[in-house]
Amino acid sequence: MKVEVLAVGTELLLGQIVNSNAAEIGVRLADAGLDHHHQTVVGDNLGRIADAIRLATSRSDALIITGGIGPTQDDMTREALSEATSTALVFDERYADQLRAFWAARGRDMPESNLRQAYRPAGAEMIPNPKGTAPGLRMHVGNTWVFVLPGVPQEMLPMVDNDVIPFLQSVSGEERSVVVSRVLRTWGESESKIGELLGDLYDASLNPTVAFLASAGEIKVRLTAKAATEGDARGLIEPVEAEVRARLGTRVFATDADSVEAQLIRELVARKWTIGTAESATGGMVAARITAIPGASAAFRGSIVAYDAETKTTLLGVPAEVISRHGLVSEEVAAAMADGAASRLGVDVAIAVTGAAGPDEHDRSAAGTMVVAVHTPEGTQARTLKMPGDRERVRTYTTTSALHLARMAVTGLAWGR
Amino acid sequence: MKVEVLAVGTELLLGQIVNSNAAEIGVRLADAGLDHHHQTVVGDNLGRIADAIRLATSRSDALIITGGIGPTQDDMTREALSEATSTALVFDERYADQLRAFWAARGRDMPESNLRQAYRPAGAEMIPNPKGTAPGLRMHVGNTWVFVLPGVPQEMLPMVDNDVIPFLQSVSGEERSVVVSRVLRTWGESESKIGELLGDLYDASLNPTVAFLASAGEIKVRLTAKAATEGDARGLIEPVEAEVRARLGTRVFATDADSVEAQLIRELVARKWTIGTAESATGGMVAARITAIPGASAAFRGSIVAYDAETKTTLLGVPAEVISRHGLVSEEVAAAMADGAASRLGVDVAIAVTGAAGPDEHDRSAAGTMVVAVHTPEGTQARTLKMPGDRERVRTYTTTSALHLARMAVTGLAWGR
């Protein structure tokens, strides 16, 4: 089954945003074993959207369109689908009621223009959008299934996962096969080093295939197998996964969608330990990552962001003479912040971060010099990190590193070099 | 002059990389005043690349192709251009010499396979690639100028800047023109309401065009004008911008790349006020957004994340009886958190957030019920928000709202209903 992707939006053509939607859908089509030969972008122009729909429906078995279904006048994908298929737009009373209910639940009046979203070409079915107001559409055009989805990734991707892909797999006339992926998440080595360690597995990889993906300091190794049944696919993955694990050892910290912060909370809860953070350069990002996990309250108590020298002393009890002797960006200050947070917050484990996130140097330390300390009942360790890149990258990567160092300290793993 | 972009590479279809090349070229075409209506991606497949070239040369004045000109067997763009134009591939002895010299200068033997890069369709001219070995190509196909460039952005973009854009401008029959965009950022109204308020401007919009873009609770209004000079383009935008501002009033809070957090810091610095946060459900996200701004330290002092009831009392001084009487998710507790943070952090302005981020209810409040309070030297205000969506969306939108409510409180703007 050949599937293509059409993204609608002038902001894509102007380069104001990058078409990551098409890439995200591409990953999912590949995982589902569906062929994918074309991606197209057109602007908010009725004629060109309609032309693109005509071309795609002439050559592909399915077309996934993203964008152009918001409530404003420049959202024209519904009209273009209507024009390309010579089908009238009809008003869906049932969906209009859902829209009114959505707004009423927020205690607000719905602008009348929102009712644009309740129109659909006759013959198209509404696909529910659990994360937003614009429903998707599914329509059989000749021999091609056309899907219309919102451009907002947080709304669009769940609809691809839960609706579009299962539907395409169910109507696909091909030999049914399932694709199973296993993601081994690693931390502490570069992508090229992981690639070297697994080079021969990559070269030999057919089923399962081996792929590497870098994201914010972590390297994911993805094994993807295709077989008649899920059990068969898992059977193909198993020996390769065992070999990868044998070679990478404790660099592998989690599998699939598990995260370092979720794992950290589980390990703390298992020990009945509580946690807090003391942050300077990351400004609350470590606490924000931990509290993003539902149920974080089982271990997380609080955080103190102490941005200037004075606050580090008044709120965290870092002695002023430690700051003046070692500088704000030092392992001594980070350790004192962690110990101070443990005592002030009354927690067993405390993560502290100080540093120079950039763009300028901070208290005589170069931009990118970041220090993490972790206090546990067994003691306090500190580590200086040199982070490349801009302020955002430095803060994000340091946050990830701080969570990993805390996970290792809590579970008794050595930090290594 | 209509220009389109074709990116070649199976890795783009698989989503292993995002097509940022097309976005980068799009920015440059807009800056040069060249129209740009289509972007396409195809994989490393001779027939499909050739078809895409035929389609583009049938409808556009210029086609920029990126990728598929490396030295390996899966690099087929040269062959596809030859096939699409029914032109023989010829060996360019002069370029072969350049390739040999490039390798010799690095003291290495050139693999024979690299000589693939010295072939070009008869009639195509080589474009030098100062940053790599694969030369570009320029070829006049019917009425369309076709450019073939490497896929590596660091090689491709200088060729676009130094060769393709100046060439297209020189052959363009049109008056030279520039495109200027102005983005007005709004907060506090839905996209559909903004669309209604500006409906007639949108309908009449030709030059400048009017477009709407929603992102994390803010709605952007983009005005884009095309004219002979930058001054003329700005002159076209000016009256429309004035009309948009007159209708939207204080809903417009910033222009272009400016952000609410940057503006908040500027307003604080202008008043010599300092700021801190007291966060529960957002777990540090408000502080993280503020400290993402370089120079935040001019106003930001610190933050206290108090996740459980006890910490709200010990760290922020919220009286236990206020908590037990009104519940953790209440305007009374939020206000006490803001006042407590102002006093404990020693700041003029404090933002407090409490709430039930979900997925479960929290202390008898439904998921999505969030409360923001802002303390300023003029007093403390609190506001209860009903946020739809999952935990991540609730936290992100609440963070944006909290920053806006603080900006309004600091600048003396009423919060409205």
Side-chain angles (χ1 to χ4, degrees), chain A residues 297-384:
Chain A
S297 57
F300 184 78
R301 286 293 166 268
S303 166
I304 293 170
V305 177
Y307 214 56
D308 58 349
E310 189 188 331
T311 324
K312 287 184 181 66
T313 301
T314 55
L315 292 185
L316 290 168
V318 179
E321 61 106 19
V322 172
I323 294 176
S324 61
R325 185 184 309 160
H326 300 282
L328 285 169
V329 185
S330 64
E331 299 192 358
E332 290 79 3
V333 166
M337 288 169 66
D339 294 342
S343 137
R344 305 275 171 122
L345 295 167
V347 290
D348 304 298
V349 177
I351 305 174
V353 183
T354 181
D360 303 318
E361 64 164 39
H362 177 53
D363 202 28
R364 303 183 306 279
S365 288
T369 309
M370 301 291 282
V371 189
V372 174
V374 177
H375 169 106
T376 73
E378 268 105 54
T380 302
Q381 302 173 75
R383 160 75 54 90
T384 303

Side-chain angles (χ1 to χ4, degrees), chain A residues 95-156:
Chain A
Y95 204 84
D97 287 342
Q98 286 183 32
L99 283 174
R100 291 187 190 102
F102 179 93
W103 283 76
R106 299 166 71 189
R108 295 177 65 179
D109 289 332
M110 182 177 75
E112 273 305 295
S113 56
N114 267 61
L115 289 177
R116 283 172 61 90
Q117 296 182 322
Y119 282 89
R120 56 175 171 78
E125 286 190 61
M126 295 285 200
I127 302 176
N129 174 355
K131 305 239 175 181
T133 60
L137 297 172
R138 182 179 65 228
M139 186 173 181
H140 209 185
V141 178
N143 293 315
T144 307
W145 285 101
V146 177
F147 300 85
V148 180
L149 303 176
V152 180
Q154 295 80 359
E155 300 179 16
M156 181 273 289

Side-chain angles (χ1 to χ4, degrees), chain B residues 260-261 264 286 289-290 351 399-407:
Chain B
V260 57
E261 50 269 39
L264 175 60
V286 181
R289 280 273 294 272
I290 294 173
I351 305 174
T399 299
T400 299
S401 296
L403 292 165
H404 278 287
L405 292 170
R407 165 183 65 80

Side-chain angles (χ1 to χ4, degrees), chain A residues 10-20 23 26-27 30 36-43 48 55 71-76 102-103 106 108 111-114 131 155 213 282-285 287-288 291-294 296-297 300-308 311 315 344-345 359 391 395, chain B residues 12-15 17-20 23 26-27 30 36-43 48 55 181 188-193 195-196 199 202-203 211-213 222 282-285 287-288 291-294 296-297 300-308 311 315 344-345 359 388 390-391 393 395 417:
Chain A
T10 301
E11 65 277 13
L12 292 162
L13 295 175
L14 293 174
Q16 292 174 337
I17 58 172
V18 175
N19 191 9
S20 51
V27 168
H36 174 38
H37 294 160
H38 295 90
Q39 294 174 349
T40 311
V41 176
V42 293
R48 284 191 286 273
L55 175 62
T72 53
Q73 300 87 328
D74 58 352
D75 291 303
M76 303 186 226
F102 179 93
W103 283 76
R106 299 166 71 189
R108 295 177 65 179
E112 273 305 295
S113 56
N114 267 61
K131 305 239 175 181
E155 300 179 16
L213 200 64
T282 46
M285 292 173 76
T291 56
I293 304 295
S297 57
F300 184 78
R301 286 293 166 268
S303 166
I304 293 170
V305 177
Y307 214 56
D308 58 349
T311 324
L315 292 185
R344 305 275 171 122
L345 295 167
R391 183 178 178 87
R395 284 166 32 109
Chain B
L12 292 162
L13 295 176
L14 292 175
I17 57 172
V18 174
N19 192 10
S20 50
V27 169
H36 173 37
H37 294 160
H38 294 91
Q39 294 174 349
T40 311
V41 176
V42 293
R48 285 190 286 271
L55 176 64
S181 270
E189 290 291 358
S190 65
E191 183 177 6
S192 43
K193 180 70 179 177
E196 272 183 33
Y202 176 86
D203 294 336
F212 309 113
L213 199 64
R222 189 183 65 226
T282 46
M285 293 174 74
T291 57
I293 304 295
S297 57
F300 183 78
R301 286 293 166 270
S303 166
I304 293 169
V305 178
Y307 213 57
D308 57 349
T311 323
L315 292 184
R344 306 274 170 120
L345 296 166
D390 64 11
R391 183 177 177 89
R393 189 187 146 112
R395 283 166 34 108
R417 67 168 172 81

